[in-house]
Amino acid sequence: MGIKDVAQQAGVSVGTVSNVINRPETVARATRERVQEVIARLGYVRSESARQLRAGASRIMGLLVLDMGNPFFVDVARGAERTARAAGLGVMVCNSDSSPDEEAEYLSMFVEQRVRGVLVTPADATGRDLSLLRRHQIPYVVVDAVVEDGDGRGACSVSVDDVIGGEMAVAHLIDQGHRSIAFVSGLGHDRPQIRDRWAGACRAVAAAGLPPETMREISTDRLDVSPGADAVASLLGLRKRPTAVFCANDMLALGVLQALFAVGIKVPEEIALVGYDDIEFAAAAAVPLTSVRQPAVEMGRLAAEMLVRETMAEEDAEEHVHEQIVLQPELAVRESSRRRLAP
Amino acid sequence: MGIKDVAQQAGVSVGTVSNVINRPETVARATRERVQEVIARLGYVRSESARQLRAGASRIMGLLVLDMGNPFFVDVARGAERTARAAGLGVMVCNSDSSPDEEAEYLSMFVEQRVRGVLVTPADATGRDLSLLRRHQIPYVVVDAVVEDGDGRGACSVSVDDVIGGEMAVAHLIDQGHRSIAFVSGLGHDRPQIRDRWAGACRAVAAAGLPPETMREISTDRLDVSPGADAVASLLGLRKRPTAVFCANDMLALGVLQALFAVGIKVPEEIALVGYDDIEFAAAAAVPLTSVRQPAVEMGRLAAEMLVRETMAEEDAEEHVHEQIVLQPELAVRESSRRRLAP
DNA sequence: ATCTCCGGATGAAACATTTCAAAGAGCGAC
DNA sequence: GTCGCTCTTTGAAATGTTTCATCCGGAGAT
């Protein structure tokens, strides 16, 4: 069941069979057709392991995301996959679940596999895990975060400006007349994304000439639906209940929406709500959710493209300059934050 | 950067290094520690390609799902992954997007990779694509479908009884007093799952002694949110508007819910709604969705376990008997289908 | 002193490919 | 007839592991 069997059956050498597969134009038509016929008859499929052993690197790209349960990352994966496959690469999608340990384990698996390159949304903000990749000269592109330029060498990255995103969201709420806004976040600012969104929110408040106390923060432990629902209790416990809520992502926002609905608080009449990521389910919520859209598919696509480019450059021993792409978010205004009547 | 370098640096043979890695107990402590130190110092990571070339099969399990955008499959993946990793296997998750062509392509990629086994939710009901796996003696487990026993050899499978699921949903609606129910489905019954759910629905109607016209069907082209929303137009166009809607999956149901909301029809007061899969977003909808729960994570886990078992059996040249596990769904009753007042 | 055993280390074969220098076969030109 | 050229094909080396039969050195038994 190897190339040897094919060669034997077709009465040619293994080299010729290899040529038929990889450079068909170099082999005479009669031979080529005979070999192809045998391949088809035997159902021969070449062994990637042998191939990549010889080549030194596989034809697979690793993709490590923070949370496959979040449709945002599913979209990133979709974009990346499409591009990778167009370039003849397979994609291995893995889920670190925001855990640096899992992240380290997966990255080391990628190294074992000698993947061609890695797209990663880092769980470990220090970038320590990434040094493993650098050590083995595996190109990588950071997605949805900018590299902390640890040792001056840097890497490519694709991200969305989270400060502006946060600013847009809160500016919109202020514009709608809100003067007391809660920020439902998660993970206590470990994640740069969350930190930036908060910073943007504060900037919007300052820009409007409002006092900093306008924004108050409610923290959760995970960026998921149920913590969002739980956060509503704290929200309602605040003295001077906020009239608007800005959530660090849509999963949280959906949780908040559900819990508000459950206690009979009307959205947007009593409390306005803005999420982040603009996942499909946000628009599909019974009160369609205003949300900061991130071009997720596009990010995946761009990141994969950059990675492919870097890979190529490496092969041709060309110089590759790392690039940091920062995309702009946009606000998708929907029902959940429509203008509230003057108080 | 190979095992050879390690051997040289440590002043031992390559065989010994290999032993340190794979059977540490067989090598003397002093040697072992010396080698380990060198491995750490050099940052050596063994090459999976070489390893699997020798072994004949990789340590990766392929998982091919119909739609990564559907959280149901994400859960399946989660369950499978956890189990696989516990067994020392990596998982390569791929997305056929319900296309038989993509499916064929991915399966052939799996064969190229000499994957240890495959978990697959078939897009091609004929099972033709699966013959490739059989031909190459790659064990596979069918997830969320029962194998059409094409050539008598069969395969393991894990599925949920969709007939019972459909029956539960509709029986519940009938029980709540509904006498005119729409089934929003997709893909014109190509998918066995959908066909079964419809069959179950009809069975419930018959069991209640109601005429078959009680159920009417509205077909969409995809099992996704926006087709669900679009279906509402047809729904409202029906003469004698149904008082309840049963959707073939939750994505559709969320779309329906949103569209009903948009035209001001109250759920469940005017129209009751039941979905299928019980994805997290169903419970989180502003009107929490009644849904038929499928144990997705469990399915993934079971399937991966079966695959690992089959793999083991193959290695030990033991006999393996294929097993068909059929799980039971359960109905999660929520707000969207609460008892309607007598007409 | 010799024999036996045993833990530990070794070296080479095998795995399935790709690549590349070299060989071979025609063939036209001299 | 031989040289040079092109178009095909070939055979062998190289890739990084694992495995296994073999070998070695020393300890204990006779």
Side-chain angles (χ1 to χ4, degrees):
Chain A
M1 39 159 300
I3 206 175
K4 247 183 304 189
D5 306 76
V6 176
Q8 197 185 338
Q9 289 268 330
V12 296
S13 73
V14 292
T16 302
V17 177
S18 176
N19 281 336
V20 170
I21 297 170
N22 301 300
R23 305 199 286 294
E25 69 284 1
T26 70
V27 31
R29 200 162 79 139
T31 322
R32 191 195 325 143
E33 283 172 356
R34 186 153 36 96
V35 172
Q36 278 163 343
E37 188 270 325
V38 176
I39 287 180
R41 182 153 51 78
L42 263 50
Y44 164 78
V45 178
R46 72 173 157 212
S47 154
E48 260 299 307
S49 4
R51 184 171 151 77
Q52 75 189 233
L53 171 58
R54 181 87 226 289
S58 74
R59 301 200 58 78
I60 292 187
M61 166 184 301
L63 168 58
L64 188 52
V65 299
L66 287 174
D67 177 11
M68 281 287 282
N70 185 340
F72 169 71
F73 291 108
V74 176
D75 282 347
V76 172
R78 225 188 261 283
E81 218 212 344
R82 211 172 297 156
T83 315
R85 298 232 305 146
L89 265 45
V91 178
M92 188 153 179
V93 186
C94 298
N95 185 2
S96 70
D97 256 327
S98 295
S99 141
D101 290 348
E102 295 266 333
E103 172 171 287
E105 219 169 314
Y106 276 118
L107 289 179
S108 115
M109 180 176 106
F110 285 159
V111 176
E112 280 191 358
Q113 304 281 346
R114 301 291 191 272
V115 288
R116 199 52 154 285
V118 174
L119 303 184
V120 54
T121 54
D124 176 31
T126 69
R128 183 178 40 81
D129 291 343
L130 296 175
S131 66
L132 185 67
L133 296 180
R134 244 175 281 137
R135 190 154 177 184
H136 286 267
Q137 323 217 43
I138 296 180
Y140 62 92
V141 173
V142 173
V143 184
D144 196 34
V146 187
V147 252
E148 312 273 338
D149 201 2
D151 60 352
R153 293 195 41 214
C156 288
S157 68
V158 185
S159 57
V160 178
D161 192 323
D162 285 302
V163 178
I164 293 194
E167 191 175 9
M168 282 175 139
V170 171
H172 165 68
L173 288 172
I174 292 175
D175 190 47
Q176 302 292 91
H178 297 281
R179 293 293 176 269
S180 171
I181 304 171
F183 178 58
V184 176
S185 79
L187 304 171
H189 292 206
D190 274 2
R191 280 273 187 93
Q193 291 94 316
I194 310 298
R195 210 184 326 123
D196 287 351
R197 289 169 201 177
W198 167 254
C202 294
R203 202 158 83 179
V205 168
L210 297 172
E213 314 83 84
T214 304
M215 293 287 313
R216 280 175 291 175
E217 187 176 5
I218 296 172
S219 203
T220 67
D221 53 342
R222 283 177 308 127
L223 296 169
D224 217 332
V225 175
S226 56
D230 298 341
V232 169
S234 325
L235 182 70
L236 301 182
L238 292 178
R239 54 187 194 74
K240 278 199 65 189
R241 185 211 284 177
T243 61
V245 177
F246 171 39
C247 293
N249 83 5
D250 281 346
M251 314 276 281
L252 286 172
L254 288 172
V256 169
L257 179 62
Q258 177 199 14
L260 288 178
F261 203 90
V263 296
I265 294 179
K266 289 215 177 65
V267 175
E269 292 82 355
E270 297 176 69
I271 290 189
L273 190 56
V274 175
Y276 209 108
D277 285 347
D278 195 26
I279 63 179
E280 187 178 22
F281 296 107
V287 181
L289 204 59
T290 295
S291 190
V292 180
R293 170 169 326 149
Q294 309 208 71
V297 177
E298 172 90 350
M299 281 174 79
R301 185 178 64 76
L302 281 172
E305 274 172 13
M306 289 168 91
L307 188 57
V308 169
R309 220 176 305 134
E310 185 168 349
T311 305
M312 297 300 190
E314 197 175 64
E315 268 170 21
D316 308 348
E318 280 171 20
E319 206 48 50
H320 172 81
V321 278
H322 292 306
E323 230 181 318
Q324 261 84 43
I325 295 184
V326 180
L327 301 173
Q328 296 307 307
E330 48 185 272
L331 190 67
V333 178
R334 304 207 182 82
E335 213 46 42
S336 74
S337 68
R338 293 283 182 219
R339 181 174 300 281
R340 86 191 271 256
L341 305 178
Chain B
M1 39 158 296
I3 206 175
K4 246 182 304 189
D5 307 76
V6 176
Q8 196 186 340
Q9 288 270 330
V12 297
S13 73
V14 292
T16 302
V17 177
S18 176
N19 282 336
V20 169
I21 296 170
N22 301 301
R23 304 198 287 291
E25 69 284 0
T26 69
V27 31
R29 200 161 78 138
T31 323
R32 193 194 325 144
E33 284 172 356
R34 187 152 35 95
V35 172
Q36 279 162 341
E37 188 269 326
V38 176
I39 288 180
R41 182 154 50 78
L42 264 50
Y44 165 77
V45 178
R46 73 174 157 211
S47 153
E48 261 297 308
S49 3
R51 185 173 151 78
Q52 76 190 232
L53 171 59
R54 180 88 226 289
S58 75
R59 301 199 59 78
I60 292 188
M61 166 184 301
L63 168 58
L64 188 52
V65 299
L66 287 174
D67 177 12
M68 282 286 282
N70 186 339
F72 168 72
F73 290 108
V74 175
D75 282 346
V76 172
R78 226 188 262 282
E81 219 211 344
R82 210 172 297 156
T83 314
R85 298 232 304 145
L89 264 46
V91 178
M92 188 152 178
V93 186
C94 298
N95 184 2
S96 69
D97 256 327
S98 295
S99 142
D101 290 347
E102 296 266 332
E103 172 170 288
E105 219 169 313
Y106 276 118
L107 289 179
S108 116
M109 179 176 104
F110 285 159
V111 176
E112 280 191 0
Q113 303 282 347
R114 299 291 189 272
V115 165
R116 197 54 152 283
V118 174
L119 303 183
V120 53
T121 54
D124 176 31
T126 69
R128 183 179 38 83
D129 292 342
L130 297 175
S131 66
L132 185 67
L133 297 180
R134 243 176 282 137
R135 190 156 178 184
H136 286 267
Q137 323 217 44
I138 297 181
Y140 61 92
V141 173
V142 173
V143 184
D144 196 34
V146 186
V147 251
E148 311 273 338
D149 201 1
D151 60 354
R153 294 194 40 210
C156 287
S157 68
V158 186
S159 56
V160 178
D161 192 323
D162 284 302
V163 178
I164 293 193
E167 191 174 10
M168 282 175 139
V170 172
H172 165 69
L173 287 172
I174 292 175
D175 191 46
Q176 302 292 89
H178 296 281
R179 293 294 176 269
S180 172
I181 304 171
F183 178 58
V184 176
S185 78
L187 304 172
H189 291 205
D190 275 359
R191 282 269 188 93
Q193 291 95 315
I194 309 298
R195 210 185 326 124
D196 287 353
R197 288 169 202 178
W198 167 255
C202 295
R203 201 159 84 182
V205 168
L210 296 173
E213 313 84 82
T214 304
M215 292 287 315
R216 278 175 293 175
E217 186 175 6
I218 296 173
S219 204
T220 67
D221 54 341
R222 284 179 305 127
L223 296 169
D224 216 332
V225 175
S226 57
D230 298 342
V232 169
S234 325
L235 182 70
L236 301 182
L238 292 178
R239 54 185 193 77
K240 281 198 65 189
R241 184 211 284 178
T243 62
V245 177
F246 170 39
C247 293
N249 82 4
D250 281 346
M251 313 275 281
L252 286 172
L254 289 172
V256 169
L257 179 61
Q258 176 200 13
L260 288 178
F261 204 89
V263 297
I265 295 179
K266 289 214 177 67
V267 175
E269 291 82 355
E270 297 176 69
I271 290 189
L273 190 56
V274 175
Y276 209 107
D277 285 346
D278 195 27
I279 63 179
E280 188 180 20
F281 296 106
V287 181
L289 203 59
T290 295
S291 191
V292 179
R293 171 172 322 151
Q294 308 207 73
V297 177
E298 173 90 352
M299 282 174 79
R301 186 178 63 77
L302 282 171
E305 274 172 12
M306 289 167 92
L307 188 56
V308 169
R309 219 177 306 134
E310 184 168 349
T311 305
M312 298 299 192
E314 197 176 64
E315 267 170 23
D316 308 347
E318 280 171 19
E319 207 48 50
H320 172 81
V321 279
H322 292 305
E323 228 179 322
Q324 260 85 42
I325 296 185
V326 179
L327 302 173
Q328 296 307 307
E330 47 184 272
L331 190 67
V333 178
R334 303 208 182 81
E335 211 47 41
S336 76
S337 68
R338 293 281 182 222
R339 182 173 298 282
R340 88 189 269 256
L341 305 178

